[in-house]
């Protein structure tokens, strides 16, 4: 939405505000320019982005009418027009952004006064619902694009439907309220699938000769793939593919692509005759959102990172930060961590049970990573950038990485809350912080602090 005005010259008095767009002709030219720029930006977007036609308004009445249109984001080009036009466009129940021109112009009026007049209403305190200083972009479309990526991630995290094998849960005493908080803060739809239901489905699959034969063939193909080394009973792998088919059935029935497993270190092993670890890896590698432990303290972070990055997220246990590094580990991890290439993996047993099939994914050394750690109360998350240093093989969960902390590791040690964390390949800290502020949460960016 381009906002402007067409003032009329008056002698011996001020008759126009700052800015270079004061005629309908200039506004039409600017409107066409904006359309071209947005199309170029959209071509670079690595997430779905649909642009509605650029419109121009110069009255509050016209602004109020177009503000009623259905969209996720109102993007305002504040070339001119007065306060009432902006206030009519900005709805608190929608995301709002403002683009301002400085160099090379034409200069925009609201480049001068958006802070003092619009956001602060000519006082020191902020007073505009639905918008703040982080929603302002000057000149640079890369700054606009990452904000749109953040809003895309947030938009798709809200109201996500998740199938919960064994019901939703949360880690530890602090996580008892996690399902309730996930519903309240993130509006997640948590679908309970009982273990008796899962057991009946698996027994039916085990009796299905055609399905079993297909799963055995799929397992052999997987194990013969480049970079895969088998170090457990191949029957565990075949049954992991059976479990995969059952999970796909459940997600299809509930029209979602997300699932989590509660008590995954116990009941599911006897029912599935394997562990869920490899199954979750397989489905994450295919673009689904699969998480172990049904820990809704951290699952919202995994959903958000998935949509921000376009890549899988790795749920893991952190250890003790020291000397600028720490070890992160879990018995399930995606192999397609960059969204494209399968990392090498050894297929072992799950560590704590020494049973089933679990991958030790060899993650890319030197890779920059984004790390998010939510607190138990769904009020504050911390985040930092890391660099993968090594893939050790300690007596802990199978997939394990040593990570160099890009930030203040001592402050990380002091500020850790909750338990499980999420990570993904790439740097998405800006998007994470912006999205979390929009969700009403605090975000502590530890990579903004020097070590």
């Amino acid at each position: 939405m381009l906002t402007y005005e067409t003032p009329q010259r008056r002698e011996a008095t001020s008759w126009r505000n700052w800015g270079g767009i004061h005629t309908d002709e200039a506004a039409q030219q600017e409107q066409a320019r904006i359309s071209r720029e947005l199309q170029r930006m959209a071509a670079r977007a690595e997430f779905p982005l649909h642009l509605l036609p650029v419109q121009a308004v110069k009255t509050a009445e016209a602004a109020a009418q177009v503000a009623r249109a259905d969209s996720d984001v109102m993007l305002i080009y504040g070339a001119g027009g007065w306060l009432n036009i902006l206030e009519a466009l900005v709805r608190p129940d929608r995301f709002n952004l403002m683009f301002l021109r400085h160099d090379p112009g034409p200069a925009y009026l609201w480049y001068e006064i958006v802070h003092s007049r619009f956001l602060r209403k000519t006082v020191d305190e902020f007073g505009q619902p639905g918008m703040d200083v982080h929603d302002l972009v000057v000149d640079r479309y890369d700054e606009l694009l990452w904000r749109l990526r953040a809003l895309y991630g947030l938009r798709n995290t809200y109201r996500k439907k998740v199938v919960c094998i064994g019901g939703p849960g949360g880690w530890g005493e602090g996580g008892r309220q996690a399902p309730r908080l996930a519903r309240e803060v993130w509006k997640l739809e948590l679908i309970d699938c009982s273990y008796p239901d899962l057991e009946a489905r698996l027994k039916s699959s085990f009796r299905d000769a055609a399905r079993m034969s297909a799963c055995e063939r799929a397992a052999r193909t997987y194990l013969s793939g480049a970079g895969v080394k088998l170090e457990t009973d191949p029957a565990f792998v075949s049954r992991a593919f059976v479990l995969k088919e059952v999970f796909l059935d459940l997600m299809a029935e509930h029209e979602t692509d997300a699932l989590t497993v509660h008590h995954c270190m116990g009941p599911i092993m006897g029912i599935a005759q394997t562990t869920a670890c490899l199954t979750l890896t397989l489905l994450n590698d295919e673009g689904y959102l699969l998480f172990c432990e049904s820990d809704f303290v951290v699952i919202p972070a995994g959903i958000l990172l998935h949509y921000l990055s376009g890549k899988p997220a790795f749920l893991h246990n952190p250890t003790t930060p020291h000397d600028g590094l720490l070890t992160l580990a879990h018995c399930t991890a995606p192999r397609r961590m960059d969204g494209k290439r399968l990392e090498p993996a050894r297929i072992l047993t799950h560590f704590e049970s020494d049973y089933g099939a679990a991958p030790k994914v060899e993650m890319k050394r030197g890779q920059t990573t984004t790390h998010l750690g939510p607190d138990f109360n769904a009020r504050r998350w911390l985040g930092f950038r890391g660099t993968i240093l090594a893939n050790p093989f300690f007596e802990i969960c199978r997939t394990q990485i040593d990570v160099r902390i890009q930030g203040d590791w001592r402050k990380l040690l002091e500020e850790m809350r909750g338990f499980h964390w999420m990570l993904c390949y790439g740097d998405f800290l800006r998007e994470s912080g912006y999205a979390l502020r929009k969700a009403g949460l605090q975000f502590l960016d530890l990579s903004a602090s020097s070590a």
Side-chain angles (χ1 to χ4, degrees):
M1 192 64 56
L2 172 66
T3 68
Y4 74 107
E5 58 190 345
T6 53
Q8 301 301 310
R9 178 182 289 275
R10 291 180 293 159
E11 291 300 320
T13 188
S14 298
W15 57 272
R16 64 183 179 185
N17 289 310
W18 281 26
I21 298 177
H22 290 138
T23 67
D24 291 331
E25 181 183 12
Q28 290 168 6
Q29 293 173 356
E30 182 68 1
Q31 198 172 341
R33 177 188 179 188
I34 291 167
S35 295
R36 293 191 300 270
E37 291 172 342
L38 286 174
Q39 291 299 329
R40 287 197 294 268
M41 181 196 72
R44 295 190 289 118
E46 296 179 349
F47 57 95
L49 178 62
H50 175 62
L51 299 169
L52 298 175
V54 179
Q55 300 183 57
V57 292
K58 56 182 179 179
T59 69
E61 293 75 21
Q65 182 176 353
V66 297
R68 289 192 288 269
D70 184 26
S71 64
D72 295 312
V73 181
M74 172 61 76
L75 173 56
I76 301 168
Y77 283 73
W82 201 237
L83 196 63
N84 56 349
I85 296 178
L86 299 187
E87 290 175 339
L89 289 174
V90 173
R91 283 177 14 201
D93 63 338
R94 177 172 56 197
F95 302 132
N96 302 282
L97 294 167
M98 187 179 295
F99 191 92
L100 302 166
R101 290 204 196 278
H102 161 228
D103 186 18
Y108 280 10
L109 165 65
W110 290 100
Y111 172 61
E112 175 203 5
I113 56 174
V114 64
H115 204 291
S116 56
R117 283 197 177 271
F118 180 58
L119 296 181
R120 290 191 281 117
K121 312 301 180 188
T122 72
V123 297
D124 285 334
E125 295 74 31
F126 290 107
Q128 176 57 49
M131 206 165 186
D132 63 29
V133 295
H134 302 289
D135 303 318
L136 307 177
V137 175
V138 178
D139 290 338
R140 293 174 52 189
Y141 274 91
D142 57 342
E143 289 289 312
L144 182 59
L145 186 58
W146 75 252
R147 284 171 170 81
L148 289 169
R149 184 184 301 112
L151 296 179
Y152 169 79
L154 187 57
R155 167 71 173 77
N156 286 278
T157 302
Y158 280 137
R159 297 175 178 81
K160 186 69 179 180
K161 189 185 295 185
V162 185
V163 175
C164 305
I165 306 298
W171 187 89
E173 183 67 24
R176 288 182 180 273
Q177 300 302 313
R180 175 182 64 81
L181 291 171
R183 291 185 177 103
E184 291 177 1
V185 175
W186 299 102
K187 317 301 180 189
L188 298 188
E189 184 179 346
L190 309 183
I191 301 163
D192 194 346
C193 175
S194 69
Y195 268 111
D197 182 9
L198 179 68
E199 184 173 20
R201 292 170 183 268
L202 279 165
K203 284 182 176 178
S204 176
S205 292
F206 290 147
R207 291 192 298 267
D208 185 333
R211 173 167 271 194
M212 289 299 297
S213 178
C215 289
E216 288 166 0
R217 287 196 303 272
R220 288 194 296 271
T221 299
Y222 182 82
L223 293 173
S224 67
V228 178
K229 182 180 180 183
L230 178 65
E231 300 180 46
T232 187
D233 187 332
F236 288 136
V237 178
S238 296
R239 289 191 284 268
F241 275 83
V242 178
L243 185 61
K244 174 192 172 187
E245 294 303 311
V246 172
F247 284 175
L248 284 170
D249 291 343
L250 280 165
M251 289 187 286
E253 287 174 23
H254 294 286
E255 299 181 314
T256 187
D257 57 357
L259 181 147
T260 184
V261 182
H262 206 180
H263 309 299
C264 54
M265 290 191 286
I268 198 168
M269 296 184 193
I271 293 170
Q273 301 173 42
T274 189
T275 53
C277 308
L278 180 59
T279 303
L280 272 57
T281 294
L282 297 171
L283 287 166
N284 276 312
D285 288 341
E286 292 182 11
Y288 293 88
L289 288 79
L290 274 287
F291 304 107
C292 56
E293 301 204 37
S294 195
D295 182 4
F296 281 93
V297 178
V298 75
I299 285 174
I303 299 171
L304 181 64
L305 269 185
H306 170 81
Y307 285 114
L308 291 181
S309 68
K311 304 175 179 69
F314 172 37
L315 186 156
H316 56 275
N317 298 355
T319 56
T320 304
H322 64 287
D323 302 321
L325 60 86
L326 77 167
T327 303
L328 308 172
H330 228 254
C331 275
T332 184
R335 291 180 61 202
R336 206 180 299 274
M337 287 295 297
D338 66 356
K340 299 175 183 177
R341 182 179 62 88
L342 290 169
E343 304 284 27
R346 297 164 61 184
I347 310 302
L348 306 156
T349 57
H350 168 256
F351 178 77
E352 287 90 340
S353 64
D354 203 19
Y355 182 83
K360 173 174 170 47
V361 177
E362 302 293 318
M363 295 195 185
K364 183 180 178 182
R365 287 181 292 177
Q367 172 68 49
T368 296
T369 46
T370 298
H371 303 256
L372 296 180
D375 71 342
F376 284 128
N377 295 312
R379 294 176 186 163
R380 191 202 72 162
W381 294 17
L382 60 78
F384 62 94
R385 278 184 300 277
T387 304
I388 297 175
L389 300 179
N391 295 274
F393 195 35
F394 300 116
E395 297 83 357
I396 60 176
C397 283
R398 298 307 192 183
T399 294
Q400 25 184 300
I401 52 175
D402 283 342
V403 171
R404 173 69 62 191
I405 300 163
Q406 295 183 27
D408 189 340
W409 70 267
R410 293 178 179 85
K411 190 169 183 63
L412 173 61
L413 183 60
E414 295 170 353
E415 296 289 349
M416 289 168 66
R417 305 286 188 274
F419 179 53
H420 289 119
W421 291 354
M422 290 281 181
L423 74 82
C424 72
Y425 278 15
D427 180 2
F428 297 94
L429 276 185
R430 291 182 308 182
E431 291 88 343
S432 299
Y434 184 71
L436 290 168
R437 282 191 292 268
K438 287 292 181 188
L441 278 68
Q442 300 172 32
F443 183 60
L444 177 61
D445 181 355
L446 290 159
S447 289
S449 305
S450 60

